[in-house]
Amino acid sequence: MSENVAYYPQSAYLESCKIFVGENSYELKNMITEISYYEDIYSFCTSGYIMIRDGMGLIEAFKLNGQQQIELKFGKTANEFDNVKAQKYLVYKIGDRHPTGNMNSEFYKLHFCSPDLFRNEQLKISKSYVGEKIHEIILDVLVNKLKTERRFNIQKTTGIYDFIVPTLRPFETISWLSNYARPENSGKTGLVGADMFFFEDRYGYNFSSLNTLMNKSPYNLYRYQQNNLDPDAENLQME
C-alpha cells in the first residue's frame, strides 16, 4: 500500500491554516473542527470553507469582515508535502454564528475561494491576438492580465489562430478559447484528440486535454462499504 495515497477521508492531513490580518498571521489549525475543500475539472477556481470553534472572539478581535486571507497547507497524507505549496485564499463570507451549550465558545464557517476569482470579476479583456497558438494566449491571460501568483501547467496546443477577445473576463476568455483548442500530439498515442479543460487544483492551474487526463494514474482509490448486511450479502458485495 502506497504511503502517499489516502484511502479514507480521515487520512487527509492538515499541516497549517493561517489567517492574515494586516501584517500579522494567526494559526487556526487547533480551532478547526471541519474543513471542506472543493476542486473540479469543470470549475476554474478552488473553494471551500473551514468550521471554527472560537472561544477567543476572533471576529471582534481581528475585525473580520470577509476580506481577509487564509493560507492552507494540506495533503492526502502527512508525507506528501514535498510537492505541495501552501496556497492563499480569500475569505469572502463568514457563516452564521452558533453558540455552544455552555456559551463559552461559538461555531461559524469561514468561506474561502481563490483570490484570482475576485480579480477575474474586476477585469475585462478586449484585445486582438494574431498568429498565435491558443496555449500562448492563455499564458498571456494568466500572467499579464490576471497576474496570478499560482503555479500553472499548460499543455501545448496545435494550430495558429487569429482571435479578437470581445470584452470578456479572463476566465470567460479561457473558456471561450478552450472550445477551439486541440492538444499537440505527444507522439505516445498517435491521437491528437480534443476537449481541453482549464481548472485549478491545490498545485495550481491546469490546461489539459481529456486524453492526457485519462492517461494519468488515478488520483485516488475510493472504497465503499455498506453496513448492516447479512453474511451472504456481504460475501456477494466482496466478490
Side-chain angles (χ1 to χ4, degrees), residues 65-83:
N65 56 11
Q67 294 295 316
Q68 282 72 31
Q69 282 192 331
I70 61 173
E71 182 183 79
L72 284 171
K73 188 172 185 181
F74 64 97
K76 290 180 288 184
T77 67
N79 302 320
E80 200 212 359
F81 290 108
D82 291 341
N83 298 319

Side-chain angles (χ1 to χ4, degrees), residues 181-196:
R182 292 179 299 146
E184 189 175 77
N185 186 5
S186 65
K188 295 180 180 180
T189 63
L191 299 174
V192 175
D195 296 319
M196 301 291 290

Side-chain angles (χ1 to χ4, degrees), residues 212-220:
T212 301
L213 294 175
M214 293 297 292
N215 286 327
K216 289 184 177 180
S217 58
Y219 174 76
N220 207 338

Side-chain angles (χ1 to χ4, degrees), residues 220-234:
N220 207 338
L221 299 175
Y222 294 93
R223 296 180 176 179
Y224 297 93
Q225 183 176 358
Q226 294 178 337
N227 295 324
N228 302 323
L229 297 177
D230 60 70
D232 292 337
E234 289 181 356

Side-chain angles (χ1 to χ4, degrees), residues 53 100-105:
R53 179 168 184 167
T100 57
N102 57 16
M103 305 298 288
N104 290 329
S105 58

Side-chain angles (χ1 to χ4, degrees), residues 62-63 174 204 220:
F62 287 166
K63 296 181 172 58
I174 294 174
N220 207 338

Side-chain angles (χ1 to χ4, degrees), residues 117-233:
L117 187 59
F118 273 71
R119 286 195 288 270
N120 176 74
E121 296 301 314
Q122 299 169 351
L123 298 173
K124 289 290 184 70
I125 299 176
S126 181
K127 181 178 178 179
S128 62
Y129 294 91
V130 180
E132 296 193 45
K133 294 185 176 182
I134 291 178
H135 76 271
E136 296 172 339
I137 303 175
I138 291 176
L139 282 173
D140 179 71
V141 172
L142 290 175
V143 175
N144 298 319
K145 301 300 181 183
L146 196 61
K147 299 185 185 300
T148 182
E149 297 180 358
R150 297 286 203 250
R151 298 177 181 177
F152 43 79
N153 178 28
I154 307 298
Q155 184 175 350
K156 291 184 177 180
T157 59
T158 186
I160 303 297
Y161 293 88
D162 298 339
F163 283 106
I164 298 178
V165 181
T167 317
L168 298 176
R169 292 185 174 89
F171 289 144
E172 289 178 324
T173 302
I174 294 174
S175 178
W176 176 56
L177 293 172
S178 299
N179 295 323
Y180 298 91
R182 292 179 299 146
E184 189 175 77
N185 186 5
S186 65
K188 295 180 180 180
T189 63
L191 299 174
V192 175
D195 296 319
M196 301 291 290
F197 293 90
F198 177 82
F199 60 95
E200 184 188 13
D201 59 20
R202 60 201 172 94
Y203 302 102
Y205 289 114
N206 300 273
F207 182 64
S208 182
S209 70
L210 183 60
N211 285 345
T212 301
L213 294 175
M214 293 297 292
N215 286 327
K216 289 184 177 180
S217 58
Y219 174 76
N220 207 338
L221 299 175
Y222 294 93
R223 296 180 176 179
Y224 297 93
Q225 183 176 358
Q226 294 178 337
N227 295 324
N228 302 323
L229 297 177
D230 60 70
D232 292 337

